[in-house]
């Protein structure tokens, strides 16, 4: 029996040694140490042994059982370690590989230009005022000195929703709304950025929807020279210190006198080229002294208060500043177009 037990031990240790996975180890354990295993099998013959031999064999069997158990444990740990090492190797990250580039977005060119203009005017003490894009006929036209059936309404054909509601054609209604809120008390110093709508046919320079920034400064003793000085600062800030401005007489129902502002052409320095159509000047915005009727309708005493107002299209400013040749580029969201202006 001793011999058989020793044989079992040898066999078991050998199988444990060559086992390649935990499943095999489990099978080995059952085969040798299990209830119906090899050792139990041998011990069944104990009955035939003498009293003296029994404890000796029993002890040996226990010892061998312990040895096999221990060998199983050791091997199990070894297999686990090997598995872990293999996993680590397989899942290793090569930190020297170049990373996948992250596609970072950026503000739209139009948004940037609007912010730049807002920053300039807020630095001069203006606050930003906003209003509804669906506007009443009263605020969009009447309060701006454009009574019903006034022929100057034809300059701004729009989308009416009802007889009294329309998509605003300009952000000037925000000026009228803000003036009213001040109940005849100046100063009022605001810029009004926002989307506006006109029933225009879309082409390279027209769009049925575009953006505007209008400005309004109402206080005692505001004069035309204040308007000119402000616009001069604006033009030089946006287009460069070497740009000159020029004011031409024009007409808007809500300002009197009204002007159109031009800046000197950057391309030809005033000589005349195809960009400025030979004139040396490029028109960029409309402005004027707030019409007394507008002030009075909003509850201001037009003898005490004067004001100036101006309005511009950020699209046009952006097109001139960055050489964009078609207004539709701003709205069609072609990434190739938009990407060019990341970081400008
Ligand atoms: N609201 C005018 C327009 O849309 C621009 C403007 C604003 C002109 C303020 C004068 C004063 O054309």
């Amino acid at each position: 029996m001793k011999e058989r037990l020793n044989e079992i031990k040898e066999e078991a240790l050998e199988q444990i040694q060559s086992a390649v996975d935990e499943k095999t180890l489990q099978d080995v354990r059952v085969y040798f140490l299990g209830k119906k295993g090899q050792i139990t099998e041998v011990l069944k013959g104990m009955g035939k042994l003498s009293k003296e031999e029994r404890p000796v064999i029993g002890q040996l069997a226990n010892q061998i059982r312990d040895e096999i158990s221990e060998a199983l444990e050791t091997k199990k740990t070894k297999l686990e370690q090997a598995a872990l090492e293999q996993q680590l190797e397989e899942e290793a990250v090569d930190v020297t590989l170049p990373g996948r580039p992250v596609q970072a977005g950026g503000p739209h060119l139009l948004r940037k230009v609007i912010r730049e203009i807002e920053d300039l005017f807020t630095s001069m003490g203006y606050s930003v005022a906003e209003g509804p894009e669906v506007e009443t006929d009263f605020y969009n036209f009447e309060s701006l000195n454009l009574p019903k059936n006034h022929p100057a309404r034809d300059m701004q054909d729009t989308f009416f929703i009802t007889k009294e509601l329309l998509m605003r054609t300009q952000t000037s209604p925000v000026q009228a709304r803000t003036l009213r809120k001040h109940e005849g008390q100046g100063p009022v110093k605001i810029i009004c950025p926002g989307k506006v709508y006109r029933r225009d046919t879309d082409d390279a320079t027209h769009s049925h929807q575009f953006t505007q920034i209008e400005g309004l400064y109402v206080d005692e003793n505001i004069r035309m020279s204040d308007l000119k000085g402000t616009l001069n600062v604006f033009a030089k800030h946006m287009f460069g210190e070497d740009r000159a401005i020029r004011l031409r007489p024009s007409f808007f129902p809500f300002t009197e006198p009204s002007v159109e502002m031009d800046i000197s052409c950057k391309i030809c320095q005033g000589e005349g080229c195809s960009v400025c159509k030979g004139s040396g000047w490029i028109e960029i915005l409309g402005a004027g002294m707030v019409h007394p009727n507008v002030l009075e309708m909003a509850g201001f005493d037009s003898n005490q208060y004067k004001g100036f107002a101006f309005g511009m299209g950020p699209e046009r400013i952006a097109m001139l500043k960055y050489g964009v040749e078609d207004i539709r580029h701003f709205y069609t969201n072609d990434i190739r177009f938009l990407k060019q202006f990341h970081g400008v």
Side-chain angles (χ1 to χ4, degrees):
M1 267 173 99
K2 240 187 217 167
E3 241 165 65
R4 177 64 196 130
L5 283 172
N6 278 323
E7 258 175 43
I8 288 174
K9 176 179 150 187
E10 292 306 312
E11 239 175 277
L13 292 183
E14 210 180 285
Q15 286 190 25
I16 292 169
Q17 200 54 41
S18 59
V20 291
D21 55 26
E22 287 187 39
K23 167 90 176 67
T24 318
L25 283 184
Q26 191 53 33
D27 291 347
V28 172
R29 180 189 294 278
V30 172
Y31 181 72
F32 290 103
L33 306 182
K35 266 189 195 153
K36 292 174 188 161
Q38 293 299 301
I39 291 186
T40 317
E41 209 54 47
V42 175
L43 294 183
K44 274 182 187 161
M46 287 270 263
K48 292 179 201 141
L49 294 177
S50 65
K51 263 190 183 169
E52 295 75 36
E53 278 177 317
R54 258 180 235 163
V56 179
I57 292 297
Q59 208 181 358
L60 181 65
N62 279 341
Q63 192 191 320
I64 285 173
R65 187 180 268 137
D66 287 350
E67 269 178 67
I68 293 174
S69 275
E70 207 171 298
L72 280 165
E73 269 323 298
T74 314
K75 181 69 179 187
K76 195 177 161 208
T77 318
K78 255 193 205 158
L79 283 178
E80 277 169 1
Q81 197 112 28
L84 181 66
E85 259 156 41
Q86 194 188 351
Q87 191 188 8
L88 283 177
E89 203 164 299
E90 279 170 5
E91 293 175 6
V93 176
D94 182 352
V95 292
T96 64
L97 278 177
R100 291 196 190 100
V102 176
Q103 289 269 358
H108 193 282
L109 177 59
L110 204 49
R111 175 57 48 203
K112 281 188 193 175
V113 168
I114 291 171
R115 271 190 205 153
E116 197 180 337
I117 299 170
E118 283 176 357
D119 286 349
L120 172 68
F121 281 101
T122 51
S123 79
M124 294 197 279
Y126 289 75
S127 41
V128 177
E130 290 183 325
E133 287 172 33
V134 175
E135 192 46 281
T136 60
D137 184 272
F138 176 78
Y139 277 116
N140 195 79
F141 291 126
E142 282 189 65
S143 71
L144 299 168
N145 205 27
L146 273 145
K148 288 209 161 61
N149 303 319
H150 192 287
R153 284 197 179 204
D154 287 353
M155 296 198 309
Q156 298 181 3
D157 200 0
T158 191
F159 303 103
F160 276 88
I161 292 164
T162 66
K163 260 191 140 170
E164 293 301 325
L165 278 183
L166 50 101
M167 304 304 289
R168 67 179 179 193
T169 58
Q170 47 194 352
T171 55
S172 322
V174 184
Q175 305 187 356
R177 285 174 176 277
T178 310
L179 277 177
R180 280 193 165 229
K181 272 196 212 133
H182 279 74
E183 298 180 336
Q185 281 297 310
V188 178
K189 203 173 179 187
I190 51 164
I191 50 164
C192 317
K195 288 191 203 119
V196 299
Y197 304 82
R198 288 189 197 176
R199 211 200 58 77
D200 272 338
T201 304
D202 294 2
D203 62 21
T205 53
H206 294 87
S207 169
H208 61 282
Q209 182 203 305
F210 55 103
T211 60
Q212 265 196 345
I213 295 186
E214 298 210 354
L216 172 74
Y217 188 5
V218 170
D219 204 349
E220 296 176 4
N221 302 319
I222 295 284
R223 292 169 303 180
M224 187 96 183
S225 52
D226 298 313
L227 170 63
K228 190 171 181 184
T230 304
L231 294 180
N232 195 34
V233 168
F234 162 75
K236 291 193 156 61
H237 177 81
M238 293 303 287
F239 297 103
E241 284 300 320
D242 55 337
R243 311 302 287 280
I245 65 162
R246 147 178 115 165
L247 301 182
R248 277 182 295 108
S250 183
F251 171 77
F252 298 104
F254 30 84
T255 47
E256 182 62 37
S258 302
V259 293
E260 213 97 45
M261 181 174 95
D262 300 337
I263 53 167
S264 57
C265 180
K266 176 171 79 172
I267 313 286
C268 64
Q269 304 295 340
E271 290 292 309
C273 65
S274 62
V275 173
C276 59
K277 300 193 186 94
S279 73
W281 296 93
I282 296 171
E283 183 193 318
I284 60 168
L285 57 80
M289 300 307 289
V290 180
H291 197 292
N293 286 356
V294 173
L295 288 171
E296 295 286 342
M297 269 189 282
F300 277 75
D301 178 350
S302 62
N303 289 315
Q304 187 190 355
Y305 284 104
K306 304 274 178 258
F308 66 71
F310 55 86
M312 66 182 95
E315 281 90 342
R316 182 154 174 76
I317 308 286
M319 286 168 86
L320 288 171
K321 184 163 172 166
Y322 295 104
V324 177
E325 79 291 0
D326 194 317
I327 196 171
R328 289 167 290 199
H329 287 317
F330 292 117
Y331 316 120
T332 40
N333 284 335
D334 186 332
I335 302 275
R336 290 167 303 177
F337 168 76
L338 299 172
K339 257 192 185 164
Q340 298 175 70
F341 304 103
H342 285 183
V344 298

